[in-house]
Amino acid sequence: DTEVTQTPKHLVMGMTNKKSLKCEQHMGHRAMYWYKQKAKKPPELMFVYSYEKLSINESVPSRFSPECPNSSLLNLHLHALQPEDSALYLCASSQGSGSYEQYFGPGTRLTVT
Amino acid sequence: AQSVSQHNHHVILSEAASLELGCNYSYGGTVNLFWYVQYPGQHLQLLLKYFSGDPLVKGIKGFEAEFIKSKFSFNLRKPSVQWSDTAEYFCAVNALNTGFQKLVFGTGTRLLVSP
């Protein structure tokens, strides 16, 4: 099973809402990632978790808060987002954080109104 | 900081034509190189990867890529494209200086194959 699942598929939220995105993998991978992909643009790295510890934060605004409760699960908590945060949020995982390929989930399409 | 360039933004081919998509990266140290594909409405899938060894790597669906270190290039090729190859193709690189954790994508190439 090489599947990364993400929920929800679509999310519409207001600028004062708090919501969370969820990502799950059951491949035994120890590194997990959040990316943001705007329309017609490549994915851009936001966060990297390695062995459940945050190892990279690409200067992401604090209104995005990642959490890795266990090695299979990755959350992205959203609060007070701006309309420009509307994008496809992708989760990925890899066996480790070294020379391994990343497996991507289908993404959550987020619209901030 | 490492960067990845894909010079072909849009490519239109007829079925059975040969394909070559360019990818150049900026980092001079040890790198891992990838090509990902995003079919319409689907998630990113790995086509092929290069970590070390033979610079000519073969991937899924008849794709191959050649790593030329002296040119900082990792071009993607397919001898005969099919309509089902219509998709967006991303070259991506991660480097030793970030522990190979930071995957940087090129801007992508949209390929349209007409039947």
Side-chain angles (χ1 to χ4, degrees):
Chain A
D1 180 12
T2 57
E3 192 177 19
V4 176
T5 59
Q6 291 187 244
T7 54
K9 287 187 178 180
H10 301 274
L11 179 63
V12 179
M13 60 185 291
M15 290 190 284
T16 58
N17 291 161
K18 284 185 181 181
K19 296 286 184 182
S20 297
L21 310 184
K22 180 180 171 181
C23 172
E24 202 160 4
Q25 56 87 14
H26 296 287
M27 296 178 276
H29 288 177
R30 302 313 301 268
M32 295 185 78
Y33 311 79
W34 280 115
Y35 290 83
K36 175 181 178 179
Q37 187 177 21
K38 300 281 276 184
K40 301 186 178 182
K41 297 288 187 182
E44 293 180 351
L45 183 66
M46 299 174 71
F47 302 104
V48 179
Y49 272 84
S50 180
Y51 290 84
E52 300 155 50
K53 293 190 187 311
L54 183 65
S55 59
I56 292 182
N57 175 343
E58 287 288 285
S59 302
V60 179
S62 60
R63 57 186 184 267
F64 295 91
S65 175
E67 178 196 21
C68 189
N70 60 58
S71 60
S72 301
L73 196 54
L74 185 66
N75 298 321
L76 186 63
H77 303 298
L78 314 172
H79 174 56
L81 295 193
Q82 304 297 310
E84 58 265 29
D85 296 322
S86 297
L88 182 67
Y89 288 84
L90 298 170
C91 175
S93 71
S94 64
Q95 189 174 339
S97 57
S99 291
Y100 302 100
E101 62 263 38
Q102 294 183 24
Y103 294 84
F104 284 81
T108 293
R109 177 77 59 189
L110 174 67
T111 303
V112 182
T113 60
Chain B
Q2 65 210 59
S3 65
V4 183
S5 300
Q6 292 180 245
H7 304 294
N8 314 104
H9 298 296
H10 292 90
V11 173
I12 301 174
L13 294 173
S14 299
E15 274 194 316
S18 64
L19 171 72
E20 180 159 3
L21 301 183
C23 173
N24 289 89
Y25 62 94
S26 63
Y27 182 64
T30 302
V31 293
N32 294 328
L33 299 153
F34 307 84
W35 276 97
Y36 282 88
V37 61
Q38 195 166 31
Y39 297 104
Q42 295 190 28
H43 61 279
L44 277 165
Q45 300 173 39
L46 182 69
L47 270 181
L48 46 78
K49 63 184 186 278
Y50 173 81
F51 291 162
S52 64
D54 188 344
L56 185 62
V57 292
K58 295 191 184 299
I60 61 172
K61 305 188 181 189
F63 286 91
E64 65 177 32
E66 185 175 12
F67 171 49
I68 303 180
K69 189 173 182 179
S70 61
K71 294 185 177 180
F72 299 90
S73 70
F74 189 56
N75 292 352
L76 181 72
R77 298 194 291 252
K78 186 172 184 178
S80 176
V81 294
Q82 300 173 312
W83 175 80
S84 58
D85 292 325
T86 293
E88 184 147 25
Y89 293 80
F90 291 98
C91 180
V93 178
N94 59 21
L96 177 61
N97 68 342
T98 62
F100 300 112
Q101 293 186 81
K102 184 176 175 181
L103 190 61
V104 177
F105 285 84
T107 50
T109 298
R110 286 184 180 270
L111 172 66
L112 175 62
V113 180
S114 56

